[in-house]
Amino acid sequence: MQAIKKDIRALTKEQLRTFFEAHGDKAFRGNQVYEWLWGKAAHSFDEMTNISKETRQMLEDNFVINNIRVDQMQRSNDGTIKNAVRLHDDLIVESVLIPTPTRTTACVSSQVGCSLDCKFCATAKLKRMRNLNPDEIYDQVVAIDNESRLYFDRPLSNIVFMGMGEPLMNYNNVLAAIDKITSPEGLGMSPRRITVSTSGVPKMIKKMADTEVKFKLAVSLHSAIDEVRTSIMPFNATFPLADLREALEYWYGKTKSRITYEYVVWKGINDTRNDVDALVKFCKFAPSKVNLIEYNPIGDEVFKQADNRAIEMYQQILERNGITVTVRRSRGKDIDAACGQLANKS
Ligand code: SF4
């Protein structure tokens, strides 16, 4: 039986240097290969043209490069691009490029399916199959950076972890991917341009704060009333708002980085004055701002976009209380690329 080869990108630079030394070569060769793997995102050993043919063969004999493949790319009328990304084991995740006049944002996935069960989310209907590896997250970003340069003539400017999966349930791999994305040997992006969006796992938010990460934090809040939140995000029963609040205060205390609350207003679910008042109160616990996001129906009878009047009420009351609020129109709806719509439907 043929031995399964290891993915070379699971090795650190130091491990690559040691590998070459152990094979009678110079440790420096490890730096060269590392640069090809991460800085140049090489898909095969043959691309490594400053490495001898014999060495490339030796790498081929020992390792694989488990690159992702963009199987299908769909372009929306508004310029949004959705990639269906095939992983080395043939599972599929999705990532999205969202262009605006001034920036290009990549929305990337962190898990195949999702560990959580938000009732309004199409991804939740796929069970969690596995976590993505750091290189699989990194590759999604590289693919979108390439598309941004090709179609919009500019590099990718921002990243949000808001695709499939709960990033804090794949904590180590997400942080390892961000390390590569921000490293000068990777994409060299500023961490301030990266937002990790979580549904709110208190223990992991505290852990991130202790790690003194430099990226931004967003929380899919959707309700500041336990009863309502548990009905739409059942894991709230395990991680209630009081625990989330404590973790967010801890986050702000450590990082001094303002939190963004992602919030969809649904008809008959969270569109009353009582809901707004609870949100205002929650926002006062730690410096924060609110993104009111337009809902994208996923063919469900329960969740319907609230009336404009309800959105306006939220906006006015939040503003009156000195809370920054932005109303976000949805992008890429016609290709099921909008928030909560990613479910491998293409
Ligand atoms: S909204 Fe996010 S956390 Fe909730 S089920 Fe969907 S992908 Fe998972």
Side-chain angles (χ1 to χ4, degrees):
M1 204 175 76
Q2 219 186 352
I4 297 172
K5 293 187 214 168
K6 190 173 175 148
D7 184 353
I8 192 166
R9 291 191 302 171
L11 269 58
T12 61
K13 194 201 273 183
E14 218 27 69
Q15 287 168 326
L16 272 175
R17 288 169 59 88
T18 309
F19 171 84
F20 279 102
E21 273 186 327
H23 284 75
D25 204 334
K26 294 193 176 66
F28 173 69
R29 199 76 60 224
N31 298 22
Q32 288 178 311
V33 170
Y34 191 88
E35 162 67 9
W36 276 106
L37 292 172
W38 296 105
K40 297 183 182 138
H43 279 223
S44 74
F45 296 114
D46 279 343
E47 290 171 47
M48 303 179 179
T49 45
N50 60 352
I51 310 283
S52 74
K53 215 166 165 195
E54 294 72 42
T55 306
R56 278 186 265 154
Q57 187 56 51
M58 189 263 287
L59 289 173
E60 192 82 54
D61 294 341
N62 284 280
F63 298 107
V64 287
I65 306 176
N66 280 336
N67 289 100
I68 61 159
R69 210 175 60 224
V70 176
D71 245 17
Q72 194 189 24
M73 191 197 91
Q74 288 175 279
R75 291 191 77 179
S76 158
N77 297 332
D78 64 19
T80 301
I81 293 176
K82 180 171 80 170
N83 291 332
V85 168
R86 187 173 293 276
L87 309 172
H88 69 91
D89 51 4
D90 276 341
L91 291 171
I92 307 258
V93 291
E94 293 177 337
S95 37
V96 182
L97 178 160
I98 308 147
T100 69
T102 53
R103 55 165 73 175
T104 310
T105 301
C107 174
V108 295
S109 294
S110 54
Q111 298 181 308
V112 187
C114 186
S115 332
L116 300 181
D117 50 1
C118 305
K119 299 288 182 208
F120 50 83
C121 171
T123 306
K125 307 212 183 312
L126 311 167
K127 68 176 192 330
R128 188 197 79 88
M129 281 171 265
R130 70 170 174 87
N131 287 336
L132 294 187
N133 298 326
D135 49 278
E136 292 170 326
I137 297 170
Y138 182 85
D139 284 353
Q140 292 176 67
V141 175
V142 170
I144 291 184
D145 184 39
N146 290 340
E147 287 167 349
S148 180
R149 288 168 199 269
L150 183 65
Y151 298 109
F152 301 96
D153 222 8
R154 61 189 188 209
L156 176 69
S157 59
N158 296 73
I159 302 171
V160 292
F161 282 80
M162 217 186 263
M164 293 171 144
E166 164 53 61
L168 299 193
M169 294 290 196
N170 184 17
Y171 182 81
N172 289 340
N173 290 353
V174 165
L175 259 67
I178 292 176
D179 259 2
K180 288 276 190 298
I181 293 165
T182 52
S183 139
E185 286 164 327
L187 298 179
M189 273 184 82
S190 160
R192 305 302 301 160
R193 293 181 170 273
I194 300 175
T195 302
V196 170
S197 176
T198 174
S199 45
V201 189
K203 195 171 92 187
M204 302 313 288
I205 292 173
K206 284 185 176 171
K207 190 168 173 181
M208 263 193 322
D210 285 336
T211 313
E212 293 179 13
V213 297
K214 299 280 180 290
F215 51 78
K216 296 185 190 164
L217 175 66
V219 175
S220 294
L221 191 62
H222 306 311
S223 175
I225 300 172
D226 268 319
E227 203 189 350
V228 178
R229 195 165 193 260
T230 302
S231 74
I232 55 177
M233 303 171 89
F235 68 88
N236 186 73
T238 318
F239 309 125
L241 286 161
D243 294 0
L244 178 59
R245 167 195 166 174
E246 195 212 328
L248 293 171
E249 284 172 334
Y250 187 81
W251 160 272
Y252 187 78
K254 284 258 172 182
T255 64
K256 296 285 171 275
S257 169
R258 183 164 74 149
I259 302 146
T260 301
Y261 295 126
E262 310 288 357
Y263 201 103
V264 178
V265 189
W266 290 283
K267 201 184 182 90
I269 291 180
N270 58 354
D271 57 353
T272 68
R273 175 69 200 242
N274 210 16
D275 294 293
V276 192
D277 290 344
L279 175 60
V280 168
K281 197 167 158 209
F282 198 86
C283 285
K284 299 227 161 133
F285 296 138
S288 51
K289 61 175 180 157
V290 175
N291 283 344
L292 290 176
I293 306 167
E294 188 186 2
Y295 182 57
N296 307 290
I298 56 164
D300 186 293
E301 275 307 295
V302 182
F303 292 96
K304 294 202 176 64
Q305 166 79 16
D307 299 337
N308 278 342
R309 269 211 320 254
I311 311 272
E312 280 158 22
M313 171 178 70
Y314 263 94
Q315 199 172 2
Q316 282 165 11
I317 298 174
L318 286 164
E319 279 169 357
R320 214 181 296 143
N321 281 277
I323 299 157
T324 308
V325 53
T326 313
V327 179
R328 291 210 185 279
R329 295 285 158 220
S330 199
R331 305 287 307 270
K333 270 199 271 194
D334 53 331
I335 56 167
D336 290 327
C339 260
Q341 280 188 321
L342 299 184
N344 295 343
K345 264 209 284 183
S346 51

